[in-house]
Amino acid sequence: AEYEDTPEDLDLSDLPFELPAEGLEVLDYSGLEVDLGQVAVDQVVLAMPLAPLCRENCRGLCPHCGQDLNVAGCNCVEETVDPRFAVLKNLKLSR
């Protein structure tokens, strides 16, 4: 049997959590099996923080020398702006 339910047609009211329709993926399949391995990996990776920190107020590590900035500062010079993007420093956006 073919199913033609779209994410908007599915009854999600009995789920123990909210699952917005725009977050659902459409998976292609053939036969009687659906491989959810890559979908599971994608969801785990997307749930991970971009910059994991040891605690909320962590200052992190210096990107140049690796010094733990929670312990001490370092003498590294701030990275200079790429000259191709320097003009954007003066860009004013109106709201």
Side-chain angles (χ1 to χ4, degrees):
E2 274 192 46
Y3 297 98
E4 296 192 22
D5 287 342
T6 62
E8 293 80 20
D9 297 333
L10 299 174
D11 180 19
L12 304 175
S13 61
D14 60 338
L15 293 176
F17 52 86
E18 185 176 338
L19 188 60
E22 65 271 2
L24 297 177
E25 292 184 34
V26 176
L27 299 174
D28 294 326
Y29 65 94
S30 63
L32 300 175
E33 294 183 12
V34 177
D35 181 13
L36 298 176
Q38 188 59 49
V39 173
V41 168
D42 291 346
Q43 292 303 312
V44 169
V45 169
L46 288 172
M48 295 174 65
L50 288 176
L53 301 174
C54 59
R55 60 185 185 277
E56 282 290 321
N57 62 349
C58 178
R59 294 180 59 211
L61 304 175
C62 173
H64 303 288
C65 68
Q67 169 66 38
D68 183 348
L69 299 175
N70 298 303
V71 175
C74 65
N75 295 325
C76 294
V77 178
E78 284 269 336
E79 189 173 303
T80 59
V81 177
D82 185 327
R84 296 172 292 177
F85 298 113
V87 70
L88 295 177
K89 182 174 66 171
N90 300 323
L91 180 66
K92 303 280 191 240
L93 299 175
S94 61
R95 292 185 188 243

